Amino acid sequence: MREENQTLISEFVLAGISNIAAIQNILFAVFLLIYLITILSNSMIILVTSLDSRLHKPMYFFLKHLSFLDVCCTSVTFPKLLDIISGHPHISFMGCISQIYFFLALTSTEFLLLTAMAYDRYVAICNPLRYSTLMNHRACHFLAAGSWALGFLDTMPPAILSSQLSFCSSNYINHFFCDLVALMKIACGGTHRLEILIFAEGFFSGLMPFVLTITSYVHIISTIMKISSASGRSKAFSTCTSHLIVVMIFYGTVLCMYMRPTSVYALNQDKLYSVLYIALIPVLNPMIYTLRNKDVKGALRKMIGKQECAEST
């Protein structure tokens, strides 16, 4: 089966977002701008949280990893998207499988990392006296490393199975990157095991972290509501609202993309969900965390102020 696959299909053709020639230059400019903003804004978060000693706390440690994840995930899809818009829609077989693997791995890692961030907020609000003990340097590194390791390990089986699919005639993928479901649509058959595996992976890598995250926030909100003063409740809410907004946007788009039977997938509609995920979320994450976080905004102003002073001298 694997030899037949390689003989018949050596590369795929990606449809892109639109085939209207008149708007290709506009699309290229828009997505290039989004890509540059994503890289610059997330890199700024990584730099600020690394250099400012006041941000050497668990919450910002995880935020740094989240920003790095957004840079990686965007870089998996955006360069090829810009290449397609420029008139180069072909991608090699192994290039396609590699893109599928890294996209799934980074998505799975983000599920787990957001859960680790929710646990951090749970300990900070529900068990503040033990926060420094439970969320010490070693625990934070363990949670972050575990998220990366599990994310990259548990998505290997779908990537391996997708590389063993058989493609009889068509090599045209109706998407702007090598999406696993879009690839399954053009396979000759034999996708049943892969479809079951996708749902199993979705349960363990997506749904379980989601349940843990929601459980954490149920306890967080319950604890906050018991605070007697309005200012105390407001201060407690402010420490977790940014993360909660990110969780809602992330889970909403990803679950819409993948947690459905393949028979009900409409690929043109799924392109919209994919654009929201790969373009909107990485751009919004830095904005949500910086606009709602006084510490990060203060660190940014301090770093910019130092840079201006250095340039003036």
Side-chain angles (χ1 to χ4, degrees):
M1 183 74 71
R2 184 72 179 90
E3 291 180 359
E4 180 187 3
N5 187 350
Q6 285 184 319
T7 301
L8 292 176
I9 300 291
S10 61
E11 65 176 16
F12 295 100
V13 178
L14 294 166
I17 292 180
S18 172
N19 57 5
I20 302 174
I23 65 170
Q24 296 306 305
N25 289 336
I26 297 173
L27 286 176
F28 185 89
V30 168
F31 283 107
L32 178 60
L33 181 62
I34 291 173
Y35 183 49
L36 292 176
I37 291 173
T38 299
I39 298 298
L40 290 173
S41 58
N42 282 286
S43 297
M44 185 67 73
I45 294 291
I46 294 169
L47 187 63
V48 168
T49 53
S50 298
L51 295 180
D52 196 308
S53 59
R54 295 174 301 175
L55 301 183
H56 291 174
K57 301 174 183 178
M59 180 170 65
Y60 302 112
F61 171 79
F62 291 121
L63 176 58
K64 180 166 58 177
H65 278 266
L66 182 63
S67 294
F68 182 66
L69 258 176
D70 285 338
V71 169
C72 292
C73 199
T74 309
S75 297
V76 166
T77 52
F78 260 78
K80 188 57 195 176
L81 171 58
L82 294 172
D83 201 31
I84 295 168
I85 297 172
S86 299
H88 304 93
H90 297 84
I91 185 170
S92 68
F93 180 87
M94 286 311 300
C96 184
I97 300 302
S98 297
Q99 193 178 52
I100 286 173
Y101 170 66
F102 282 107
F103 180 80
L104 292 177
L106 292 166
T107 301
S108 179
T109 302
E110 191 154 351
F111 275 120
L112 297 166
L113 189 62
L114 287 173
T115 304
M117 294 174 77
Y119 175 70
D120 169 67
R121 293 298 84 204
Y122 163 77
V123 177
I125 293 173
C126 299
N127 205 346
L129 296 179
R130 297 188 62 200
Y131 182 72
S132 59
T133 302
L134 294 175
M135 296 304 297
N136 56 35
H137 183 79
R138 185 176 180 180
C140 291
H141 279 82
F142 175 78
L143 288 170
S147 298
W148 283 95
L150 287 174
F152 275 76
L153 286 173
D154 68 8
T155 50
M156 278 187 179
I160 292 171
L161 278 183
S162 66
S163 70
Q164 297 172 348
L165 292 173
S166 178
F167 305 95
C168 300
S169 56
S170 176
N171 68 337
Y172 181 81
I173 299 177
N174 186 17
H175 218 296
F176 58 86
F177 70 98
C178 280
D179 176 70
L180 180 55
V181 174
L183 187 69
M184 290 166 62
K185 285 285 188 179
I186 64 170
C188 291
T191 61
H192 183 64
R193 283 193 306 162
L194 184 55
E195 193 170 341
I196 292 174
L197 186 59
I198 290 172
F199 271 93
E201 290 292 335
F203 177 78
F204 288 107
S205 300
L207 194 58
M208 284 184 65
F210 178 69
V211 170
L212 290 173
T213 300
I214 293 301
T215 302
S216 296
Y217 272 101
V218 168
H219 287 287
I220 288 170
I221 294 170
S222 176
T223 301
I224 290 174
M225 296 308 295
K226 293 176 183 177
I227 299 174
S228 56
S229 67
S231 61
R233 288 195 298 270
S234 177
K235 184 178 179 181
F237 268 122
S238 68
T239 65
C240 59
T241 49
S242 297
H243 177 255
L244 186 57
I245 292 169
V246 169
V247 166
M248 291 171 64
I249 296 173
F250 177 76
Y251 275 95
T253 54
V254 173
L255 292 178
C256 284
M257 282 169 62
Y258 290 112
M259 293 306 288
R260 294 171 291 157
T262 54
S263 58
V264 303
Y265 275 76
L267 290 178
N268 288 327
Q269 177 182 319
D270 293 337
K271 287 183 188 180
L272 174 61
Y273 291 135
S274 298
V275 167
L276 290 175
Y277 173 71
I278 72 164
L280 185 63
I281 291 177
V283 170
L284 285 180
N285 281 353
M287 295 174 63
I288 291 170
Y289 279 105
T290 55
L291 291 176
R292 299 187 59 85
N293 192 296
K294 293 180 181 179
D295 292 338
V296 176
K297 286 190 290 185
L300 280 170
R301 283 194 294 266
K302 181 181 176 182
M303 190 175 74
I304 293 170
K306 283 184 177 180
Q307 183 65 29
E308 289 175 350
C309 290
E311 289 176 356
S312 63
T313 57

